[in-house]
Every structure is written in C-alpha cells, then in structure tokens.
Amino acid sequence: MIEIRIHGRGGQGAVIASKLLAMAFFKEGKFVQSFPTFGVERRGAPVAAFVRIDDKQILVRSQIYEPDHIIVLDPTLIDAVDVTQGLKPGGWILINSTQKPEEFGNLKKFKVSVVDASDIAARHRLGSKSHPIVNTAILGAFAKITGLVKIDSVLAAVGEEVPVHPEENMKASKEAYESVVV
Amino acid sequence: MKKVLMGNHAVSYGARLARVEVIAAYPITPQTQIVEELSELCANGELDAKFIKVESEHSAMASCMGSSAAGARAFTATSSQGLALMHELLHFASGSRLPIVLANVNRAMGPGWNIWTEQTDSLAQRDTGWLQFYCENNQEVLDTVIQSFKIAEQLALPVMMVLDAFILSHTYEIVDVPERELIDKFLPPYMPEFKMDVDDPHAFGALVTPDNYYEIRYKMQKSMEKAPQIVTQTGVEYGEIVGRSYDVLETYFCDDAELVLVAAGTLVSNSRAVVQEYRSKGIKLGLLKIRMFRPFPTEQVRKILLHIPKIAVIDRNISFGASGIFFQELKAALYGRDGVSEARIFGFIIGLGGRDVRLQDIAEIVDYALEEEKPKEDIIWMGLKR
Amino acid sequence: MSKVIKFNKESDLPPLVMSLGTTLVNKTGSWRYLRPVYQDKTAPCIEACPASEDIQQYMYLVAKGEFDKAWETLVAENPFPAVCGRVCYHPCELSCNRGEFDQPLAINAVERFIGDHGLERSLEPFKIAADRKEKVAIVGSGPAGLTCAYNLRRLGFKVVVLEKNEKPGGVLQFGIPEYRLPKDILAKEISRLEDFGIEIKTGVEIGKDVSWAALLKYDAVFLALGVHRSRAMDVPGEELDGVISGLEFLSQIARGEKVALGQNVAVIGGGNTAMDAVRTALRLGSKAKIYYRRTRAEMPAIRDEIEEAEREGIEMEFLVTPVRISGENGRVKEMTLQKMELGAPDESGRRRPVPVAGSEYTVTIDNVITAIGEMGDFNFIPEDMLEWGTVKTNHFGQTNIEHVFAGGDIIEQPHTVVHAIGSGKRTAMAIQAYLDHVDPETLVDKISVGFKGGFSFERFNDGQTGDPVDNHQVVHYEQINKNYFTEKPRNEADEQEISAGITTFREVKTTFDAQTVIGEALRCFNCGVCNMCDNCVIFCPDVAIKRREDDYRYEIDYDYCKGCGICVVECPRNALSLIPEGK
C-alpha cells in the first residue's frame, strides 16, 4: 500500500489534487481511497489531503500517519507546518517552488524535488496571477519523479474531472512532468 | 460503471437511480453534498423530482411525509442535531406507515460541538419505528439507498440508512454505479395500496381511541418482525440483478472462531483488516457485521453467536447510564427462549466524536479479549486519556 | 351519518391509521354557521369613473393578453376609449387601491392602448335590442350627445344627432388641441358611431334650421349643446383687438384658421382651457404666460396638464387678476394686474382671492387670451328650463318637459369629457325608461356602481356574466390581502417633444407596447372580483372548493364546507364574503 499526503492551503485545490491522483491510479486498475483532513476548512489556512493506493481492496479507514510521499502545494507551508511528519525513509517531498532542492536545508534527510507549478499554472491561465491553481500541474511532476503512475493516467484523470479549462490543466500537468527538477 | 465517488455522492447517485420523486432536505455538515448534488440534478433536469427547500429538518420530514402520503417516492438526508430535530416526525412517519428513506451521516451530538463521526445520533432514534442500516463502504452506501426503497415500500415502514461522517461521507473510493436499466428492473415504481387522493378521500392519521390503538401498535411490530426476511430476500434479488448481494448481517471467519468481534459501519472495515492479520498468524478470530440494526436481527445473531466462547462488541456510541448500544442489544439477543449464551461478552467503547480508530486500536481490543478470561469492567474505554 | 365500522380483532384493522370508509360520509357542512360566497364587488376605480368603465375587468383581460375582449369590455360602457385614453383626467387613478400600496395603476395609459387597439373595430355586436319605432333627437354631437346616441342605438331607437358646427365632436373637435387628441383618432371613433347607424346632421342650428317646436315633436329629445361662450372678465379694454376668448382661439386653431399672435401672450385663468390655450400659443411661437388669481394648488386644470405645461417652460404667475387692459390704436398694449391674497373659503371650498390694495402693476403684452370659465348659449331654450345658468334636470337628466332631457356641460356637473359621457349614458337609460313608462328610480339599485352616482349600462342591460354581484360594496384598501402582492413600480408612457420652445402639434404622450401594457395590468389588484388565482382552492382545508366544469370561476361544495372562512381571508382581492347561514 502506498500512502500520500498533500499539503496546501484552503482554496488551493489540495482536496481535488488528492481525488485526481486517486483517479489516475484507479485508471491503472489500482484500488484507491482519497480523503481530506476531516473537519472544517478555511481559505488560506493550512490543510492536508490524503491518498491510499493498493493492489487489493483497502480496508483500513484511519488517518494516514506515516506517508510514503509528500506533496507540498505552497512553499510557505514548509515553515508553517511540519510537512515531513511521519514521512517514511526514502520517500519523496515534492514542493511547488522556484528554489532548487538543495536550498531546502532542513529537508536534507529526504529526497526533495521541486517544480515551479505556480509559474506553469499562471502561464496556462489557471486561477489568477496572484492565486494560480497549481494542483493539476504538480501531479504531472509527481508522476515523473515517483514513476508510480503514468503521466497519461494523470492527464486522463485531469481531462475528465476538471470542470473548467481541462485542456489547459492537462497542458500544465504535462509541462510540469517535463520540467520537474529531481 | 466504476467511478471514484465520495460517500455523500454515492447516496445521491443511489437516490437518483431509485428515481425518487420528492426530495426535501436541510443542509448540515457533513451531509451537505448529498443534498447539493441532488438539487443540482433536479435543476439540470437529470432527475425528474421535486426538490423542496425547507427551513428545518422538521419541515423536511414533514414535506417527505406529505409527499409520501400522496404516493410519491420521498427522500431526505440529515445528520446529528438535524436528525434529533426530526425526532417527533420520525414517529409520525412510521406511525403513518410511510416508506420514506432517510440517509443519516453519523455525526456526534453536541455540545461539545463536534462534526465528526459517532453512532449515537442514529442509535438514539432506535425506538421510532424506522428500519436502520449501517454501511461499511461507499459501494454499500449506494446499494443500500436503492434497496432501502424496495424494503420500505414492501413493509410500509420508513428506512434510515447510515454512513460514517467523513470516513465515508467525504472519502473518495471506487464505486460501481449500476446501469439504470438494472435498477429499473429491481425497483418498480412506487404504487401504494393506500394514498391520499381527493377523488377517494379517507381520513389519515386521525384520532385512534384506546379501543384500537393497541392493535395498531401490534400490527406495526408484526411488520417489523417481517423485515429480516424481506431484507434478506431483497438483498438476494439485488445480487441476482446487480451482482452484489446483501443480508441483515455478515459473518467473517466466524465458524471456528474463539473470539468474534461485533461491529457496524466503518469499524467493520478496519476489523476485517485486523481479522485477516490475526488469521494469517493462525489466531481464530472472527467478525460479525451488523448491517441491519432495526429491527435487531436477534434470531440470526443467536444462530451465529450462541456457541462462540468470547464476543467483543465495538461501540462508537454511548447510552449514558447504560453502555454501548450494540453491546446492550447483543446481550439481550443472546438471552432467549431457546437458551442462554455462555459467552463472555466484552463491551468496548471507541472513537467517540471522530477520534481516529487505527488498526492497532482494534488489535488492542482483540488482544484484551483474548488475554482476559472475562472483562475487568462493564464498559472498556479504549484509548481514553487517563 | 356514517355507518360505524367495528374492529373486533387486529386483522380487521387497516395496516395504517386511516378510515376504511370514505370520508365523504362525513358532511362537515353541517357544522357551518357562516357561509362563504363568491361575490363580485365594486373596485374603487370603477366607482370613481364617471363613465363607470369596468376597469378591473379589462385589466384582468389585458393581463391575459386578451386585448379584443378588453376593448369590448370598455365600449360596453364608453364608446370613446381611444379619446378618453388621451384626454380623461382619470379620477380612477386617484382612487386606485394600489396607490396606497405603492403607486396607482396607469389606468389611463392602458385605456389608450386598448382604445387604439380597437380603432378599426365595428360596434355592430354591441346592439342589444331590436329596432324600435321611436325616434330620438339629440342636439349636440359632443361626448354627451354621441354617447347618448350610441346607447340609444344599442337599445334599438332611431337617433338623429343635430350639430350646429360643420363637423361633429363638439369640445373634442374644437376645444382639445391636436397635441392631446389627434383629429384622426377622433374621426375614427366618430365614424364608427356613424357606421353603427347614428345619423349625424351637421350645420343644423335649433331655432334657425329646425324650430324648437319641431324638435319637441320627436319622441324624446336630448339637449347636449355644451358651453361655448367664454365668461367675460368685465374689465375695461376687454373689447380691444388682440383680446380673444380661449374657446374661440382654440376652435380657430382647430379649424386650421390662422391666428396672428404677438410675442407676449397673457392667458388668464387656471383651468383646462387656459392650459390648452397657453400651450397652443407656445406652439405658435409666442412667449405665453399664465396669470391666475389663486395659487397653483387651486388650479382646476388636470394635474398632468399643468405639469406638462411647466415642463414646456410655461411661466405662471399666481395670485394676480387683470383690472384693466389698455391699448393703442384700438389694439391691446398693456395689461394692469392687481395682486391678490387668499381669504376665507368660498362655496366651492377653495379660498377666495381678495385684492391687495395698492398692489397694481402693469405688463406689456401683445395678446390677452381669456379662459376664466365657460357658459352655455341657451337662446332657443325656454327660460323656465334654466336655473343659475344651467339646464335644470333631475338626476337622470329629465327637464321640466318630460320628454326633453339634458346632459353634458349644460347641466349642473363638472365640465369634463368623462362626466359628459356618463351623463349621455345615464340619460339613454332614462329615455328608454321614460318611453317604456318605467320610473327610472326603480332601476337605481340595480344599475348603481358604488355610491358616487355612476350607472352601469351592462347592468341596466342584464349583460352580466351571471356571477353573483354586490354592486354596492366598494372594496377598500383594508380589504385587500396585501400578503399576496409585491411592490412593483408603475409603468409610465414616455413623453415626446416636451421641452421649452416646442413648436409641433404632434401628440405629446406615447403609448405602451404590448408587453408593458400586460405588465401594468398585472399590477392590478382586481379589487373585489375573482381572477381565478386558485388561492381559495389551495387553502380550503376540506377540499370543498373546485374549479367549475367550464373552468370559469369556482364552486363550493356546501356539503363539506364547514364555514371556517379561510378562503375569505386568503382571497387576495375580497371576491368572497362570509354571510350568516340561513339568511
């Protein structure tokens, strides 16, 4: 079983990202489960969403305490919350950032990867310039760095599930897939 | 067709497939998306139903009752305090013998204000004359909504189907949504024998004197007693048409079990995983899933548990001054005309107000029950910070 | 009563709490001591209309888009809807209950739309009785004369209208200016009456072409001469060139004659003639000004006309009266005015203007148009028929010669077009009653519309729908269930060409389009008359009310109506009444 935690801020689309990622794995015949942090969500406040993937039916229904991989939609969260909490050794931390992986000094123990998803999203006019919607872009990068899911599955999930500008979202995913820095 | 659906939308899809004709509901966390989706389906014409906006849950149930009395297939959804506000009309709906279906998202009662899952809200309505089903996953949620209508309409009794807040309501997982033609074959249009009709006026719900009230109550109980057989039969029919069968309860490795866990809702799902783990270690652990809580399937439960040496009941609820409610029901079931169970019965309380239940928590329950010859306390509080 | 069903064992009982027998056996009507009845009442607008138009009925029809039927409803009481839709001072709107709620209905504008809609229609279907041998002479072809002729014709009489002027129409033709009432509209409404079989002889003067004695040989006579003489101001200089009476001025313009006005024109008076004269003078290029001896509030002219005149830039000087006109070479040059102040109220209730001593001042002017009142010209009418400058009649218009009737401006009533129409209609009914030897007083109860003196020709003629009617109850604002109405602003017809320095005689007001007229009619409360809103059906807890088989109106099943009165309370428009049972 693979467990993934996605960090974002309320309104950034972390929950949708978790659903899209689950969809992508579902398209490859996996059993999936995705859920938000249980409770109330406020715009701008730190939130998390989760994905479980397995080859057999997923029975466990507890929270995810020791994720295999982490996705961070907003680099400012690195200082606000402990995004690495429970991360299994060898797991990836994928960050939406303009910085280089080595610049995240306090994450040295982990495999860090970055993609400028904000820039990609803004160029594809997803959301607004000040608040780009980065969730679809970063999933493309996730497919690349982990190799767990095919980019075509991600693109298919994005194309089917995103109600507004699906084409542009798919392009953003693809671009992130190609430009992610490992 | 397989989709990735959140539990709340599984409810909506089920209601849509059941071709509900009237929906009256008031939004409450964590039920909101059920109603949101249905109102959208009504608005865009995908569902030919009347969506009645109401000012409270009390009015929601009143609207469902009126619609149902006039012969319409009526549906509502609520949670926690909303269900409690409906309480008076829950009696009224069953007393009127109206086959309304209600989806309740299990949420803790406040205060302390809490929006997370717990079973007390629905279990507190156990004496209102409604059937109650508890769902383990989103597939069962969708399937149960559809079956609920068929069961309710056969018995002329209302049905409450229950799903856990967030753990199902807001969690996406794979759900096979049956083809419309299959459901149409399974569930015929609602054609009540009696309904309000201005061309054939009768008095409904009028005064009944002591001379007849007693018999009316007797008849209602008799209908309830028919429910297990109808539920089983409906679950089989559903399996024949749709490919997934259901029953009033489900056994999991019970035959040779030395200890059987008894649970409902998503606690079953977690327990299943634990049973698999213990069985792989050669430990004779079983699981009894209570799918139908009302009427309580006493006879079926006795058949399975009467000779099991140890039973651990996991309650995500509390009846203050008594104990966990499944625990009480189970003990009552095992003390009967045809004998008394010799089993040691352990009553565990866990996860109130949405406290996360992990696999190791269930494992702890199992270990306790295996280790101790008998419970050290009447109520065993799991994970309590002491 | 119902048969009693005894349940001996539980299996006898139905599966749910319901009666096995039909509840129809339970005739709850026996509980009733008050009975709801549908009862059409009178809307205040109808009561206020001197022509008793069935306003709420045509609003109901307009709201449904049934313009033909709306027109038919209108001409059942008034043969001049296109005229009245333009020139009426619409007292109906002042009485409109909607006025207390938000703004009154634009009844006049709706009437105009419907009147215009029907301009090409025939009146043939409105003849309601076979031809009779009696012949009635009508003197004067103004609104009173022609309305009387129309209604007499409907009743089967032969009618001849004798008109002194070269064209029919009276004040409509020669008094009201083109910009308020285009002549082609008038011509169409009159020719329709001629097509209907009314003979109009123009250029016929009584006492000259037809003698008084010859006139009296008709089976009945209706005198509707109108008033054509302007009242003299009785000030020195009134005979000078350049001093002209308002009525004469307007009739000259109407005839297309050239009237040479100077630059500065003084119009004396505050009534409709004064307004018409001043606005006409403006359009001829003069700087015309009103001089009035009281204040704006006391002006008898229609409010709309005063406001339109103001918007056209007409100046008005109040609390002044001319005391002298002086001239040069026999032509007016100056006018001396005296300031006034308001004293105690006179018999009309208006405060009497009193001269302020030593306040005289003089203005230079080129013309003076006098419009301080009109009088009849009764040269051929015997003295004993007159009183205080009017023809003396009973309230049906009958004079002291029993087969001679009089109406319009020559009798004691307000000088308005719609009052003239009302009087013509009233007298037509009285003439038939006279010729049938029926005392018209016995009809009053049947034909009265409210309590302001209006009579309904439809009711006279039994042309009602058969709905129960309480003519005498006028629905007031308190009786409207306001919960069923929301505020909606009144639609106003656009005005064109209202601006200072206007020179065109084109019609000032535009009309509604079909969508607007329906929207406006939908604002109508339909006071006192069922418009089939279904509220009673919805609210009846006994399901005792249903639509009639013909889908028109409702019927109450009194076997089950227990007299709770909810239908009466929930009727938005008071079209239901509760009456004591057994009475």
Side-chain angles (χ1 to χ4, degrees), chain B residues 47-83:
Chain B
L47 177 57
D48 183 18
K50 174 89 183 157
F51 189 94
I52 305 175
K53 284 174 281 183
V54 287
E55 71 284 357
S56 74
E57 287 82 359
H58 193 273
S59 301
M61 184 48 64
S63 303
C64 285
M65 282 164 41
S67 316
S68 182
R73 186 169 279 162
F75 176 78
T76 187
T78 188
S79 184
S80 185
Q81 320 288 126
L83 183 67

mmCIF file of all heavy atoms in Angstrom, chain B residues 47-83:
data_model
loop_
_atom_site.group_PDB
_atom_site.id
_atom_site.type_symbol
_atom_site.label_atom_id
_atom_site.label_comp_id
_atom_site.label_asym_id
_atom_site.label_seq_id
_atom_site.Cartn_x
_atom_site.Cartn_y
_atom_site.Cartn_z
ATOM 1 N N LEU B 47 -32.718 14.610 -13.028
ATOM 2 C CA LEU B 47 -33.578 13.870 -12.107
ATOM 3 C C LEU B 47 -34.944 14.554 -12.115
ATOM 4 O O LEU B 47 -35.051 15.744 -11.813
ATOM 5 C CB LEU B 47 -32.962 13.886 -10.694
ATOM 6 C CG LEU B 47 -33.772 13.222 -9.588
ATOM 7 C CD1 LEU B 47 -34.066 11.775 -9.924
ATOM 8 C CD2 LEU B 47 -33.019 13.297 -8.273
ATOM 9 N N ASP B 48 -35.955 13.768 -12.467
ATOM 10 C CA ASP B 48 -37.298 14.339 -12.558
ATOM 11 C C ASP B 48 -37.959 14.253 -11.183
ATOM 12 O O ASP B 48 -38.783 13.388 -10.933
ATOM 13 C CB ASP B 48 -38.104 13.562 -13.596
ATOM 14 C CG ASP B 48 -39.483 14.166 -13.786
ATOM 15 O OD1 ASP B 48 -39.674 15.324 -13.387
ATOM 16 O OD2 ASP B 48 -40.363 13.469 -14.327
ATOM 17 N N ALA B 49 -37.515 15.129 -10.300
ATOM 18 C CA ALA B 49 -38.057 15.113 -8.946
ATOM 19 C C ALA B 49 -38.318 16.533 -8.491
ATOM 20 O O ALA B 49 -37.738 17.481 -9.015
ATOM 21 C CB ALA B 49 -37.070 14.432 -7.993
ATOM 22 N N LYS B 50 -39.186 16.641 -7.510
ATOM 23 C CA LYS B 50 -39.460 17.941 -6.923
ATOM 24 C C LYS B 50 -38.507 18.123 -5.752
ATOM 25 O O LYS B 50 -38.504 17.310 -4.832
ATOM 26 C CB LYS B 50 -40.917 17.986 -6.462
ATOM 27 C CG LYS B 50 -41.294 19.226 -5.697
ATOM 28 C CD LYS B 50 -41.757 20.314 -6.611
ATOM 29 C CE LYS B 50 -42.073 21.585 -5.834
ATOM 30 N NZ LYS B 50 -41.999 22.773 -6.645
ATOM 31 N N PHE B 51 -37.726 19.170 -5.799
ATOM 32 C CA PHE B 51 -36.822 19.463 -4.691
ATOM 33 C C PHE B 51 -37.464 20.545 -3.831
ATOM 34 O O PHE B 51 -37.699 21.650 -4.300
ATOM 35 C CB PHE B 51 -35.466 19.935 -5.216
ATOM 36 C CG PHE B 51 -34.442 20.038 -4.133
ATOM 37 C CD1 PHE B 51 -33.588 18.990 -3.873
ATOM 38 C CD2 PHE B 51 -34.357 21.175 -3.346
ATOM 39 C CE1 PHE B 51 -32.656 19.070 -2.857
ATOM 40 C CE2 PHE B 51 -33.433 21.262 -2.315
ATOM 41 C CZ PHE B 51 -32.583 20.203 -2.078
ATOM 42 N N ILE B 52 -37.789 20.212 -2.602
ATOM 43 C CA ILE B 52 -38.469 21.179 -1.737
ATOM 44 C C ILE B 52 -37.450 21.786 -0.777
ATOM 45 O O ILE B 52 -36.836 21.085 0.029
ATOM 46 C CB ILE B 52 -39.616 20.526 -0.938
ATOM 47 C CG1 ILE B 52 -40.590 19.824 -1.888
ATOM 48 C CG2 ILE B 52 -40.349 21.569 -0.104
ATOM 49 C CD1 ILE B 52 -41.684 19.052 -1.187
ATOM 50 N N LYS B 53 -37.283 23.097 -0.899
ATOM 51 C CA LYS B 53 -36.398 23.789 0.039
ATOM 52 C C LYS B 53 -37.182 24.024 1.326
ATOM 53 O O LYS B 53 -38.307 24.476 1.275
ATOM 54 C CB LYS B 53 -35.939 25.127 -0.539
ATOM 55 C CG LYS B 53 -34.878 24.959 -1.605
ATOM 56 C CD LYS B 53 -34.548 26.290 -2.246
ATOM 57 C CE LYS B 53 -35.615 26.633 -3.245
ATOM 58 N NZ LYS B 53 -35.356 27.864 -3.971
ATOM 59 N N VAL B 54 -36.589 23.714 2.442
ATOM 60 C CA VAL B 54 -37.299 23.829 3.709
ATOM 61 C C VAL B 54 -36.475 24.642 4.695
ATOM 62 O O VAL B 54 -35.302 24.912 4.445
ATOM 63 C CB VAL B 54 -37.599 22.440 4.310
ATOM 64 C CG1 VAL B 54 -38.688 21.748 3.535
ATOM 65 C CG2 VAL B 54 -36.340 21.592 4.349
ATOM 66 N N GLU B 55 -37.105 25.047 5.802
ATOM 67 C CA GLU B 55 -36.406 25.877 6.756
ATOM 68 C C GLU B 55 -35.856 25.089 7.932
ATOM 69 O O GLU B 55 -35.213 25.654 8.797
ATOM 70 C CB GLU B 55 -37.314 27.014 7.226
ATOM 71 C CG GLU B 55 -38.459 26.618 8.139
ATOM 72 C CD GLU B 55 -39.598 25.949 7.400
ATOM 73 O OE1 GLU B 55 -39.531 25.833 6.163
ATOM 74 O OE2 GLU B 55 -40.551 25.527 8.048
ATOM 75 N N SER B 56 -36.107 23.796 7.987
ATOM 76 C CA SER B 56 -35.558 22.993 9.080
ATOM 77 C C SER B 56 -35.715 21.520 8.735
ATOM 78 O O SER B 56 -36.453 21.165 7.823
ATOM 79 C CB SER B 56 -36.308 23.277 10.390
ATOM 80 O OG SER B 56 -37.584 22.662 10.335
ATOM 81 N N GLU B 57 -35.045 20.678 9.505
ATOM 82 C CA GLU B 57 -35.182 19.244 9.313
ATOM 83 C C GLU B 57 -36.605 18.788 9.645
ATOM 84 O O GLU B 57 -37.118 17.856 9.041
ATOM 85 C CB GLU B 57 -34.174 18.494 10.183
ATOM 86 C CG GLU B 57 -32.748 18.582 9.689
ATOM 87 C CD GLU B 57 -32.024 19.852 10.101
ATOM 88 O OE1 GLU B 57 -32.650 20.706 10.769
ATOM 89 O OE2 GLU B 57 -30.838 19.997 9.753
ATOM 90 N N HIS B 58 -37.202 19.456 10.608
ATOM 91 C CA HIS B 58 -38.581 19.110 10.971
ATOM 92 C C HIS B 58 -39.484 19.278 9.756
ATOM 93 O O HIS B 58 -40.288 18.404 9.415
ATOM 94 C CB HIS B 58 -39.019 20.032 12.123
ATOM 95 C CG HIS B 58 -40.283 19.595 12.804
ATOM 96 N ND1 HIS B 58 -41.518 19.976 12.351
ATOM 97 C CD2 HIS B 58 -40.492 18.825 13.899
ATOM 98 C CE1 HIS B 58 -42.448 19.450 13.155
ATOM 99 N NE2 HIS B 58 -41.850 18.753 14.095
ATOM 100 N N SER B 59 -39.311 20.392 9.056
ATOM 101 C CA SER B 59 -40.103 20.634 7.852
ATOM 102 C C SER B 59 -39.719 19.677 6.735
ATOM 103 O O SER B 59 -40.557 19.304 5.919
ATOM 104 C CB SER B 59 -39.900 22.064 7.367
ATOM 105 O OG SER B 59 -40.270 22.960 8.366
ATOM 106 N N ALA B 60 -38.445 19.306 6.691
ATOM 107 C CA ALA B 60 -38.002 18.373 5.653
ATOM 108 C C ALA B 60 -38.769 17.070 5.787
ATOM 109 O O ALA B 60 -39.319 16.552 4.816
ATOM 110 C CB ALA B 60 -36.503 18.128 5.764
ATOM 111 N N MET B 61 -38.818 16.567 7.006
ATOM 112 C CA MET B 61 -39.525 15.305 7.206
ATOM 113 C C MET B 61 -41.027 15.494 6.971
ATOM 114 O O MET B 61 -41.682 14.637 6.377
ATOM 115 C CB MET B 61 -39.247 14.762 8.618
ATOM 116 C CG MET B 61 -39.855 13.388 8.915
ATOM 117 S SD MET B 61 -39.582 12.123 7.648
ATOM 118 C CE MET B 61 -37.818 11.945 7.691
ATOM 119 N N ALA B 62 -41.557 16.636 7.392
ATOM 120 C CA ALA B 62 -42.987 16.900 7.164
ATOM 121 C C ALA B 62 -43.287 16.887 5.670
ATOM 122 O O ALA B 62 -44.291 16.321 5.223
ATOM 123 C CB ALA B 62 -43.377 18.230 7.788
ATOM 124 N N SER B 63 -42.408 17.488 4.886
ATOM 125 C CA SER B 63 -42.621 17.529 3.441
ATOM 126 C C SER B 63 -42.542 16.134 2.838
ATOM 127 O O SER B 63 -43.324 15.788 1.956
ATOM 128 C CB SER B 63 -41.576 18.425 2.768
ATOM 129 O OG SER B 63 -41.615 19.709 3.327
ATOM 130 N N CYS B 64 -41.585 15.357 3.333
ATOM 131 C CA CYS B 64 -41.473 13.983 2.845
ATOM 132 C C CYS B 64 -42.735 13.190 3.173
ATOM 133 O O CYS B 64 -43.222 12.409 2.378
ATOM 134 C CB CYS B 64 -40.268 13.291 3.467
ATOM 135 S SG CYS B 64 -38.711 13.829 2.753
ATOM 136 N N MET B 65 -43.260 13.436 4.379
ATOM 137 C CA MET B 65 -44.455 12.705 4.785
ATOM 138 C C MET B 65 -45.640 13.040 3.895
ATOM 139 O O MET B 65 -46.384 12.160 3.454
ATOM 140 C CB MET B 65 -44.768 13.007 6.249
ATOM 141 C CG MET B 65 -43.888 12.237 7.207
ATOM 142 S SD MET B 65 -43.905 12.905 8.876
ATOM 143 C CE MET B 65 -45.614 13.272 9.057
ATOM 144 N N GLY B 66 -45.814 14.332 3.646
ATOM 145 C CA GLY B 66 -46.930 14.747 2.787
ATOM 146 C C GLY B 66 -46.802 14.139 1.398
ATOM 147 O O GLY B 66 -47.762 13.605 0.839
ATOM 148 N N SER B 67 -45.591 14.195 0.871
ATOM 149 C CA SER B 67 -45.364 13.684 -0.485
ATOM 150 C C SER B 67 -45.598 12.184 -0.531
ATOM 151 O O SER B 67 -46.243 11.661 -1.435
ATOM 152 C CB SER B 67 -43.929 13.961 -0.913
ATOM 153 O OG SER B 67 -43.549 15.255 -0.568
ATOM 154 N N SER B 68 -45.051 11.510 0.471
ATOM 155 C CA SER B 68 -45.165 10.057 0.505
ATOM 156 C C SER B 68 -46.631 9.643 0.669
ATOM 157 O O SER B 68 -47.099 8.712 0.016
ATOM 158 C CB SER B 68 -44.320 9.518 1.649
ATOM 159 O OG SER B 68 -44.374 8.122 1.686
ATOM 160 N N ALA B 69 -47.350 10.385 1.508
ATOM 161 C CA ALA B 69 -48.765 10.072 1.723
ATOM 162 C C ALA B 69 -49.552 10.233 0.429
ATOM 163 O O ALA B 69 -50.550 9.566 0.204
ATOM 164 C CB ALA B 69 -49.343 10.966 2.814
ATOM 165 N N ALA B 70 -49.083 11.138 -0.425
ATOM 166 C CA ALA B 70 -49.775 11.359 -1.694
ATOM 167 C C ALA B 70 -49.283 10.391 -2.769
ATOM 168 O O ALA B 70 -49.697 10.479 -3.914
ATOM 169 C CB ALA B 70 -49.566 12.796 -2.154
ATOM 170 N N GLY B 71 -48.384 9.480 -2.383
ATOM 171 C CA GLY B 71 -47.981 8.435 -3.324
ATOM 172 C C GLY B 71 -46.644 8.650 -3.991
ATOM 173 O O GLY B 71 -46.308 7.926 -4.922
ATOM 174 N N ALA B 72 -45.888 9.634 -3.540
ATOM 175 C CA ALA B 72 -44.585 9.892 -4.164
ATOM 176 C C ALA B 72 -43.474 9.163 -3.417
ATOM 177 O O ALA B 72 -43.577 8.914 -2.216
ATOM 178 C CB ALA B 72 -44.297 11.384 -4.182
ATOM 179 N N ARG B 73 -42.402 8.835 -4.135
ATOM 180 C CA ARG B 73 -41.223 8.234 -3.506
ATOM 181 C C ARG B 73 -40.400 9.398 -2.929
ATOM 182 O O ARG B 73 -39.920 10.242 -3.670
ATOM 183 C CB ARG B 73 -40.431 7.455 -4.543
ATOM 184 C CG ARG B 73 -39.274 6.683 -3.977
ATOM 185 C CD ARG B 73 -38.696 5.726 -5.014
ATOM 186 N NE ARG B 73 -39.482 4.504 -5.115
ATOM 187 C CZ ARG B 73 -39.419 3.655 -6.146
ATOM 188 N NH1 ARG B 73 -38.641 3.903 -7.168
ATOM 189 N NH2 ARG B 73 -40.159 2.563 -6.159
ATOM 190 N N ALA B 74 -40.281 9.427 -1.601
ATOM 191 C CA ALA B 74 -39.700 10.605 -0.944
ATOM 192 C C ALA B 74 -38.387 10.260 -0.255
ATOM 193 O O ALA B 74 -38.216 9.158 0.270
ATOM 194 C CB ALA B 74 -40.679 11.181 0.069
ATOM 195 N N PHE B 75 -37.485 11.222 -0.278
ATOM 196 C CA PHE B 75 -36.148 11.012 0.260
ATOM 197 C C PHE B 75 -35.672 12.252 1.003
ATOM 198 O O PHE B 75 -35.942 13.380 0.596
ATOM 199 C CB PHE B 75 -35.184 10.704 -0.892
ATOM 200 C CG PHE B 75 -33.750 10.569 -0.471
ATOM 201 C CD1 PHE B 75 -33.306 9.409 0.125
ATOM 202 C CD2 PHE B 75 -32.859 11.618 -0.656
ATOM 203 C CE1 PHE B 75 -31.973 9.283 0.524
ATOM 204 C CE2 PHE B 75 -31.532 11.495 -0.255
ATOM 205 C CZ PHE B 75 -31.094 10.323 0.335
ATOM 206 N N THR B 76 -34.934 12.007 2.095
ATOM 207 C CA THR B 76 -34.280 13.125 2.766
ATOM 208 C C THR B 76 -32.948 12.648 3.336
ATOM 209 O O THR B 76 -32.688 11.451 3.396
ATOM 210 C CB THR B 76 -35.163 13.752 3.864
ATOM 211 O OG1 THR B 76 -34.510 14.931 4.348
ATOM 212 C CG2 THR B 76 -35.375 12.798 5.023
ATOM 213 N N ALA B 77 -32.134 13.600 3.721
ATOM 214 C CA ALA B 77 -30.847 13.265 4.311
ATOM 215 C C ALA B 77 -30.555 14.274 5.407
ATOM 216 O O ALA B 77 -30.918 15.449 5.287
ATOM 217 C CB ALA B 77 -29.743 13.315 3.250
ATOM 218 N N THR B 78 -29.897 13.799 6.479
ATOM 219 C CA THR B 78 -29.568 14.716 7.564
ATOM 220 C C THR B 78 -28.427 14.134 8.383
ATOM 221 O O THR B 78 -27.766 13.190 7.959
ATOM 222 C CB THR B 78 -30.814 15.031 8.426
ATOM 223 O OG1 THR B 78 -30.482 16.070 9.337
ATOM 224 C CG2 THR B 78 -31.280 13.800 9.193
ATOM 225 N N SER B 79 -28.236 14.700 9.548
ATOM 226 C CA SER B 79 -27.146 14.270 10.413
ATOM 227 C C SER B 79 -27.359 14.849 11.810
ATOM 228 O O SER B 79 -27.871 15.959 11.944
ATOM 229 C CB SER B 79 -25.817 14.787 9.833
ATOM 230 O OG SER B 79 -24.736 14.313 10.599
ATOM 231 N N SER B 80 -26.955 14.089 12.803
ATOM 232 C CA SER B 80 -26.798 14.593 14.163
ATOM 233 C C SER B 80 -27.961 15.453 14.679
ATOM 234 O O SER B 80 -29.087 14.993 14.773
ATOM 235 C CB SER B 80 -25.470 15.370 14.212
ATOM 236 O OG SER B 80 -25.187 15.795 15.502
ATOM 237 N N GLN B 81 -27.663 16.722 14.960
ATOM 238 C CA GLN B 81 -28.694 17.601 15.541
ATOM 239 C C GLN B 81 -29.908 17.697 14.622
ATOM 240 O O GLN B 81 -31.035 17.847 15.086
ATOM 241 C CB GLN B 81 -28.153 19.019 15.771
ATOM 242 C CG GLN B 81 -26.741 19.146 16.297
ATOM 243 C CD GLN B 81 -26.569 18.750 17.738
ATOM 244 O OE1 GLN B 81 -25.749 17.922 18.057
ATOM 245 N NE2 GLN B 81 -27.353 19.339 18.608
ATOM 246 N N GLY B 82 -29.663 17.613 13.337
ATOM 247 C CA GLY B 82 -30.758 17.674 12.370
ATOM 248 C C GLY B 82 -31.689 16.490 12.534
ATOM 249 O O GLY B 82 -32.908 16.622 12.511
ATOM 250 N N LEU B 83 -31.098 15.320 12.739
ATOM 251 C CA LEU B 83 -31.901 14.119 12.952
ATOM 252 C C LEU B 83 -32.684 14.243 14.254
ATOM 253 O O LEU B 83 -33.852 13.879 14.343
ATOM 254 C CB LEU B 83 -30.995 12.885 12.973
ATOM 255 C CG LEU B 83 -31.696 11.548 13.126
ATOM 256 C CD1 LEU B 83 -32.543 11.235 11.905
ATOM 257 C CD2 LEU B 83 -30.697 10.427 13.372
#
